[in-house]
């Protein structure tokens, strides 16, 4: 019989098993000292090509190519919009690209085998084997999922849904698009769709393939292509393995990944005092969480007008963002929230089975994270290939 954790009888609601929720508010609950968070280290990386094929190398990692004078630029982000090759947002890749990398790199992430279950044919071959019993991480997810957790105490407009599966002692987390978020995406105006291209075009203006080449803004932007770093770290008692997309690296740097990585962003020029305030209050929180999780030290921001012209760049140091928020958000609140949410997941997610999914939801403005159990297999997201790669 299923074990629902913490002795609580499941309530039945529309055929779904309800599990005790996790309270978010008041957020003063998370006003504690900053929890232990280990310096993130890169365990590997992969590139996604124009067909979203996974390559376990850095072929699509770009290099930052600063303009002659970053205080005076003239980038037209509208250029090439008609020709751009856009990834289909209806195609949900879930964790498949990460688990493909994991399958190819088991030796880097395998937990030591238990002596009783060692098989003779694998003995002495453990470091090269593509098979193992367990992954040496409590949680596997995209970096973007952790970013959403960290920002939740200060986010009231956008909700999220995360599917969680426990398999061989590791909790896999994969985002599910909520009805509201899908409706918002499908309801985007032509103008909003064009503006979502601007961030990608900006990347093209300030990056090149290597130190010897220059940006090429004549070729169409292709949003299938990406470079992703795979990061290992620890938050308090939780060991984490996540992957995040990285925009580029610092040219000619002696630093090793992730310290030589950079994040690129665009933002609207501050016309009024309120614009600047909202930048620090909302945008910088997300940028900080996203970059801090990977250990990216610097973010380059392109300031644009409403016509998509970037007229100057500014650099922001990740380690200075939390203090520059001037009390509008507290990094410790974000990390204590995420730490306690992961502890909650370990308490309620008890069935170790790749077909079973626990759906965590945070509705916009809601004061709690709710959880429902889906044991029918209809929410399964771990691929058969990945499941079969264990022995
Ligand atoms: O299935 C899903 N619901 C998601 C898939 C949600 C989030 C991410 N992904 C996948 C995508 O396959 C993508 O390759 O994750 C990858 C990016 O992962 P991430 O680094 O964890 O995501 P995040 O930190 O949210 O975003 C980093 C960048 C974005 O840049 P900006 O500067 O706007 O933050 O990744 C891009 C985007 O350029 N990006 C995506 N690319 C493809 N599909 C997606 C997405 N769903 N979300 C963000
Ligand atoms: Ca970016």
């Amino acid at each position: 019989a299923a074990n629902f954790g913490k002795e609580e009888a499941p309530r039945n609601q529309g055929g779904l098993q309800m599990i005790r929720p996790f309270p978010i508010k008041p957020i003063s609950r998370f006003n504690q000292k900053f929890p232990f968070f280990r310096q993130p280290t890169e365990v590997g990386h992969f590139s996604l090509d124009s067909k979203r094929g996974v390559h376990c190398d850095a072929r699509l990692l770009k290099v930052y190519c600063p303009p002659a004078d970053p205080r005076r630029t003239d980038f037209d982000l509208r250029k090439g919009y008609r020709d751009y090759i856009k990834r289909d947002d209806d195609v949900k890749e879930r964790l498949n690209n990460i688990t493909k990398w994991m399958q190819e790199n088991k030796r880097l992430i395998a937990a030591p085998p238990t002596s009783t279950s060692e098989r003779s044919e694998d003995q002495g071959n453990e470091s090269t084997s593509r098979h193992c019993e367990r992954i040496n991480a409590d949680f596997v997810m995209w970096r973007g999922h952790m970013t959403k957790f960290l920002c939740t105490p200060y986010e009231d407009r956008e909700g999220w849904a995360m599917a969680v599966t426990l398999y061989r002692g590791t909790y896999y987390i994969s985002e599910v698009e909520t009805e509201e978020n899908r409706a918002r995406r499908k309801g985007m105006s032509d103008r909003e769709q064009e503006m979502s291209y601007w961030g990608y075009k900006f990347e093209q203006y300030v990056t090149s393939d290597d130190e010897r080449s220059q940006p090429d803004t004549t070729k169409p932007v292709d949003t299938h292509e990406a470079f992703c770093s795979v990061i290992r770290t620890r938050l308090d008692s939780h060991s984490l393995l996540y992957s995040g997309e990285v925009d580029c690296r610092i040219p000619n740097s002696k630093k090793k990944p992730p310290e030589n990585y950079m994040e690129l962003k665009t933002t609207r020029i501050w016309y009024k005092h309120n614009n600047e305030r909202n930048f620090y209050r909302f945008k910088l929180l997300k940028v900080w969480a996203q970059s801090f999780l990977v250990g990216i030290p610097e973010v380059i921001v392109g300031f644009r007008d409403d016509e998509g012209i970037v007229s100057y760049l500014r650099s922001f140091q990740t380690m200075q963002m939390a203090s520059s928020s001037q009390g509008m958000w507290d990094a410790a609140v974000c990390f204590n929230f995420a730490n306690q949410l992961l502890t909650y997941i370990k308490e309620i997610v008890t069935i170790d089975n790749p077909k079973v999914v626990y759906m965590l939801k945070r509705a916009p403005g809601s004061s709690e994270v709710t959880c429902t159990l889906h044991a029918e297999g209809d929410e399964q997201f771990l691929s058969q290939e990945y499941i079969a790669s264990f022995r």
Side-chain angles (χ1 to χ4, degrees):
N3 173 1
F4 296 98
K6 288 271 149 173
E7 314 279 306
E8 263 173 60
R11 280 172 282 152
N12 213 319
Q13 215 182 60
L16 298 172
Q17 310 280 5
M18 294 292 290
I19 298 163
R20 87 177 148 87
F22 176 80
I24 301 169
K25 292 175 185 174
I27 65 165
S28 56
R29 299 202 308 122
F30 309 105
N31 221 325
Q32 304 147 308
K33 79 174 198 5
F34 202 99
F36 174 79
F37 183 67
R38 209 181 71 194
Q39 181 73 38
T41 54
E42 182 179 88
V43 283
H45 49 246
F46 57 90
S47 296
L48 298 170
D49 66 25
S50 58
K51 297 187 180 102
R52 295 295 273 183
V54 178
H55 306 272
C56 297
D57 57 43
R59 69 183 69 181
L60 283 156
L61 173 59
K62 306 284 183 187
V63 58
Y64 181 58
C65 200
D69 185 356
R71 294 163 305 177
R72 252 185 92 96
T73 61
D74 188 19
F75 304 151
D76 181 1
L77 304 182
R78 287 179 142 166
K79 192 177 148 188
Y81 176 58
R82 296 289 150 213
D83 310 315
Y84 115 90
I85 306 157
K86 191 183 176 305
R87 207 187 59 93
D88 182 355
D89 291 320
D90 289 331
V91 177
K92 303 300 182 194
E93 299 175 326
R94 312 303 300 264
L95 297 186
N96 293 341
N97 295 329
I98 298 178
T99 53
K100 273 181 199 156
W101 178 89
M102 291 171 75
Q103 271 174 255
E104 297 299 315
N105 295 277
K106 280 275 172 72
R107 68 200 151 78
L108 299 174
I109 53 171
T114 55
S115 56
T116 50
S117 53
E118 261 180 295
R119 285 193 191 169
S120 55
E121 69 258 34
D122 284 339
Q123 275 179 8
N125 197 24
E126 205 49 57
S127 64
T128 53
S129 176
R130 284 193 177 183
H131 295 267
C132 67
E133 294 163 357
R134 269 186 334 109
I135 291 302
N136 192 13
D138 297 337
F139 292 93
V140 170
M141 62 186 128
W142 280 103
R143 177 268 313 270
H145 302 2
M146 244 338 250
T147 307
K148 287 201 173 159
F149 291 157
L150 289 177
C151 297
T152 297
Y154 298 104
E155 176 63 68
D156 269 332
R157 287 185 309 176
E158 281 174 45
W160 49 253
M162 300 280 177
V164 184
T165 283
L166 175 60
Y167 179 53
R168 293 190 175 232
T170 295
Y171 302 83
Y172 294 83
I173 304 180
S174 172
E175 186 170 18
V176 174
E177 189 173 47
T178 64
E179 260 324 305
E180 300 107 279
N181 291 347
R182 185 188 143 81
R184 188 177 310 148
R185 177 168 66 83
K186 292 290 178 188
M188 280 203 319
S189 65
D190 291 346
R191 162 101 182 150
E192 285 169 319
Q193 289 186 45
E194 184 182 335
M195 286 175 71
S196 59
Y197 165 75
W198 291 358
Y200 295 106
K201 191 65 186 176
F202 175 64
E203 293 173 10
Q204 206 186 42
Y205 271 102
V206 294
T207 63
S208 62
D209 290 337
D210 55 53
E211 274 82 357
R212 296 176 299 281
S213 44
Q214 288 293 309
D216 178 1
T217 59
T218 62
K219 76 169 198 254
V221 167
D222 184 347
T223 60
H224 295 88
E225 296 183 339
F227 169 80
C228 298
S229 175
V230 182
I231 295 292
R232 182 189 269 300
T233 188
R234 172 174 289 274
L235 171 55
D236 195 9
S237 61
H238 312 300
S239 61
L240 313 177
L241 185 74
Y242 49 74
S243 176
E245 209 175 299
V246 171
D247 292 328
C248 59
R249 60 178 174 82
I250 301 168
N252 303 305
S253 174
K254 290 196 173 61
K255 294 240 161 65
K256 61 178 185 36
E259 281 181 282
N260 65 335
Y261 289 156
M262 293 174 95
E263 171 64 33
L264 305 171
K265 285 277 180 269
T266 59
T267 197
R268 189 168 174 262
I269 294 166
W270 305 334
Y271 295 101
K272 297 179 289 191
H273 178 68
N274 225 8
N275 299 151
E276 177 175 355
R277 196 184 138 78
N278 284 333
F279 174 84
Y280 282 99
R281 179 158 175 203
F282 299 108
K283 185 137 182 164
L284 210 60
L285 167 60
K286 289 182 186 171
V287 174
W288 165 78
Q290 184 186 44
S291 300
F292 188 81
L293 283 168
V294 174
I296 297 178
E298 186 182 8
V299 180
I300 301 292
V301 180
F303 285 79
R304 55 137 187 102
D305 63 18
D306 293 331
E307 270 68 60
I309 304 295
V310 173
S311 52
Y312 61 96
L313 310 184
R314 264 186 70 181
S315 160
F316 290 81
Q317 300 299 314
T318 305
M319 294 312 281
Q320 274 148 36
M321 291 177 187
S323 54
S324 63
S325 79
Q326 304 218 22
M328 291 185 282
W329 47 269
D330 181 349
V333 166
C334 298
F335 268 85
N336 284 311
F337 173 81
N339 183 20
Q340 288 174 44
L341 183 67
L342 296 180
T343 300
Y344 163 79
I345 291 173
K346 284 180 175 174
E347 286 169 359
I348 58 153
V349 175
T350 52
I351 306 170
D352 192 311
N353 182 335
K355 288 203 170 348
V356 176
V357 163
Y358 294 74
M359 192 65 74
L360 301 189
K361 281 194 179 143
R362 199 281 167 116
S366 171
S367 59
E368 59 186 21
V369 175
T370 60
C371 179
T372 52
L373 174 64
H374 303 252
E376 315 307 314
D378 49 322
E379 291 286 356
Q380 178 176 346
F381 60 85
L382 283 182
S383 71
Q384 281 312 329
E385 297 102 286
Y386 181 69
I387 293 164
S389 76
F390 291 82
R391 63 170 161 76

